[in-house]
Amino acid sequence: MGLDIGTTRVCAIIGEYNENEELEILGVGVSPSNGLRKGVVINIEATQKSVLEAVEQAEQMAGREVETVVASIAGPHIEGINSRGVVAVNSKGREITQNDVDRVMEAARAVVLPMDREIIHLLPQEYLVDEQRGVKDPRDMIGVRLEAEVHLITASITAAQNLIKCINRAGLKVSEMMYESLAASRASLTPEEKEIGTLFINIGGGTTDIMLYLNGAPHYTSVLPLGGKEVSSDIAIILKIPFEEAEKIKIRDGFCLASMVEEGGEPVIIPGVGGRPPLSTDRNTICSYIQPRMTEIFEMIKKRVESEAGFTAWQSLGGVVLSGGGAMLPGTVELAQSIFPTAVRMAEPFGVNGLSREVCRPDRSTAYGLVLQGAQQALLQGPVIRDTRSRKGGGLKQWLRNFFE
Ligand SMILES: Nc1ncnc2c1ncn2[C@@H]1O[C@H](COP(=O)(O)OP(=O)(O)OP(=O)(O)O)[C@@H](O)[C@H]1O
Ligand SMILES: [Mg+2]
């Protein structure tokens, strides 16, 4: 099971390989999330409840019970850094073995981190054998010196622990934590797109994640503390209405590019609050509240990629791929297209069987990527789902076992 715990909703997806070795989606569960702020847990009990609700929905649909999940981790505490490791090849005949690869990866991991951070992903970019660049798999090559260039993704230890605690309390074990955008890009980018270079942008409710892929591997990771919630709260502040009403107006009538708003559409009714009578406006006006914030998000991303990753070769990039619920506003691709001088498309999870319509949405790509990861683990270690429904009976025992582990 993939469990994506977001700022606005929790999404659980259960998948299983069928007899043709295709991943089939068996169940999907989505619940509102009330215990997180900008991707980070701030209320254990509320998050636990949301997790339980989404998981039970997915289990009911699948008719299976799940014990172990691959969970997402997100938030502005996530950082990416590039590192390099060097070792001497010490095997017989100077033929590089898996052991040499493991040692060079360990060497690349040796970076000084603050006490409260840990490495959650160690992603190889390329290997150098005796200074020869561009080696993707050095095993069996002859060489004296082996170097690895890697991208490390680090996270706050306490943020990860709080997330695990919520999941454990909901009666589940965590087999792996995966950075949200790594999972979403895994489900949405082809190896060719990663090879020619792609900027992957996941606009969530509380955060926007950026991952720059070059030559087949991630080179830059960053998280902006802005997302779809800011868009709704701008509308709420301008119109002096509750956040929930602004959210409804955004989803029903929102556009993020003025030139795409059709003339003469239905009026937009703004509910009266505190005895005020309802007002009527048009979609163009609503768009004028949304477009500046979405423009700000894309411009901040472009600036970060140029200044922090030192990347300006937009013309040579394969393109920009957008995912996350915040990218679902009509006109988002076109607005991004006007800011990034390269092709822009919407993410669409690929290779899905079963409940494909439920999963083929930009805001499901993280959960689907987590399922892909879990399915790969299951292939290596055996399945993690059972045909029984015993959570209710064994819940507390399981919780205590997990909690005191
Ligand atoms: N159809 C839609 N049109 C416009 N916006 C939408 C639509 N559906 C969802 N959203 C917006 O998407 C955002 C939620 O996106 P998503 O589900 O990817 O976030 P999350 O995973 O909960 O948050 P985060 O990843 O930041 O922790 C909300 O701000 C919501 O308003
Ligand atoms: Mg998210």
Side-chain angles (χ1 to χ4, degrees):
M1 178 192 277
L3 185 63
D4 174 20
I5 304 178
T7 309
T8 63
R9 45 103 210 110
V10 175
C11 178
I13 300 185
I14 301 175
E16 189 182 55
Y17 278 115
N18 63 20
E19 60 276 12
N20 302 325
E21 294 198 359
E22 292 161 333
L23 185 68
E24 203 155 322
I25 300 304
L26 305 178
V28 179
V30 182
S31 67
S33 164
N34 301 313
L36 280 87
R37 196 169 174 273
K38 305 237 171 262
V40 177
V41 174
I42 53 161
N43 183 329
I44 298 269
E45 204 179 318
T47 308
Q48 170 199 344
K49 267 193 191 147
S50 306
V51 167
L52 203 57
E53 199 184 320
V55 168
E56 286 189 343
Q57 256 182 46
E59 286 183 335
Q60 219 156 37
M61 191 184 280
R64 308 280 179 94
E65 187 168 302
V66 176
E67 288 181 334
T68 310
V69 299
V70 180
S72 66
I73 179 161
H77 61 95
I78 304 273
E79 279 173 16
I81 42 170
N82 293 324
S83 170
R84 172 184 279 233
V86 188
V87 292
V89 178
N90 61 9
S91 49
K92 237 181 169 176
R94 299 286 181 211
E95 199 174 277
I96 297 167
T97 61
Q98 183 61 46
N99 179 268
D100 295 310
V101 175
D102 293 344
R103 283 192 306 116
V104 79
M105 291 303 277
E106 249 344 276
R109 177 189 272 277
V111 291
V112 181
L113 286 180
M115 291 278 285
D116 60 344
R117 303 190 69 77
E118 65 180 343
I119 295 170
I120 53 167
H121 297 292
L122 182 67
L123 307 161
Q125 292 167 337
E126 66 171 1
Y127 296 93
L128 290 84
V129 177
D130 292 349
E131 287 167 32
Q132 175 60 52
R133 297 196 78 96
V135 179
K136 292 280 179 215
D137 184 357
R139 285 171 302 178
D140 296 341
M141 285 180 73
I142 311 277
V144 179
R145 176 190 164 97
L146 175 65
E147 288 172 67
E149 288 191 343
V150 300
H151 186 66
L152 303 173
I153 299 182
T154 69
S156 146
I157 293 175
T158 50
Q161 282 172 339
N162 282 326
L163 207 53
I164 292 172
K165 193 167 175 179
C166 297
I167 301 169
N168 285 169
R169 280 197 179 190
L172 296 152
K173 283 187 181 168
V174 180
S175 62
E176 189 176 339
M177 300 284 274
M178 200 171 181
Y179 166 49
E180 156 163 45
S181 246
L182 189 64
S185 58
R186 180 186 173 146
S188 322
L189 299 186
T190 62
E192 293 75 29
E193 279 179 309
K194 291 181 185 171
E195 197 58 46
I196 53 175
T198 298
L199 177 64
F200 187 78
I201 299 173
N202 181 69
I203 309 177
T207 58
T208 295
D209 312 299
I210 318 161
M211 279 192 95
L212 177 66
Y213 282 87
L214 297 173
N215 303 318
H219 274 253
Y220 175 71
T221 300
S222 186
V223 180
L224 294 180
L226 294 173
K229 270 190 152 182
E230 272 65 34
V231 176
S232 305
S233 88
D234 287 346
I235 299 174
I237 291 165
I238 296 169
L239 295 177
K240 299 186 181 62
I241 54 172
F243 178 86
E244 289 69 29
E245 295 294 341
E247 177 79 12
K248 278 188 211 156
I249 292 177
K250 178 183 84 172
I251 292 181
R252 200 182 52 225
D253 301 300
F255 274 85
C256 74
L257 193 63
S259 59
M260 284 188 68
V261 182
E262 286 163 28
E263 290 293 323
E266 294 265 304
V268 179
I269 307 298
I270 300 155
V273 179
R276 273 195 337 247
L279 293 171
S280 167
T281 184
D282 55 31
R283 288 182 166 181
N284 251 314
T285 310
I286 301 298
C287 179
S288 73
Y289 305 150
I290 296 175
Q291 191 169 338
R293 179 65 83 171
M294 292 298 283
T295 306
E296 181 197 21
I297 292 177
F298 288 129
E299 281 178 346
M300 274 173 83
I301 294 171
K302 185 162 178 269
K303 214 162 135 191
R304 272 205 188 186
V305 170
E306 289 179 351
S307 62
E308 292 182 11
F311 180 85
T312 51
W314 296 103
Q315 308 291 349
S316 67
L317 195 71
V320 171
V321 175
L322 303 176
S323 90
M328 285 165 72
L329 272 171
T332 308
V333 169
E334 292 76 5
L335 179 69
Q337 188 73 75
S338 71
I339 293 166
F340 297 102
T342 180
V344 181
R345 75 164 176 94
M346 195 64 95
E348 210 177 274
F350 46 75
V352 189
N353 274 306
L355 298 164
S356 49
R357 264 186 316 132
E358 298 267 357
V359 180
C360 280
R361 294 171 41 152
D363 57 345
R364 302 280 187 268
S365 42
T366 301
Y368 180 58
L370 297 168
V371 170
L372 286 176
Q373 180 69 11
Q376 196 184 31
Q377 272 179 10
L379 269 188
L380 299 173
Q381 300 158 6
V384 291
I385 50 184
R386 286 185 280 125
D387 266 316
T388 55
R389 301 205 50 77
S390 61
R391 155 113 13 95
K392 307 263 174 340
L396 184 63
K397 236 164 81 189
Q398 178 71 25
W399 180 83
L400 289 170
R401 202 165 63 223
N402 278 315
F403 189 64
F404 290 109
E405 250 173 12

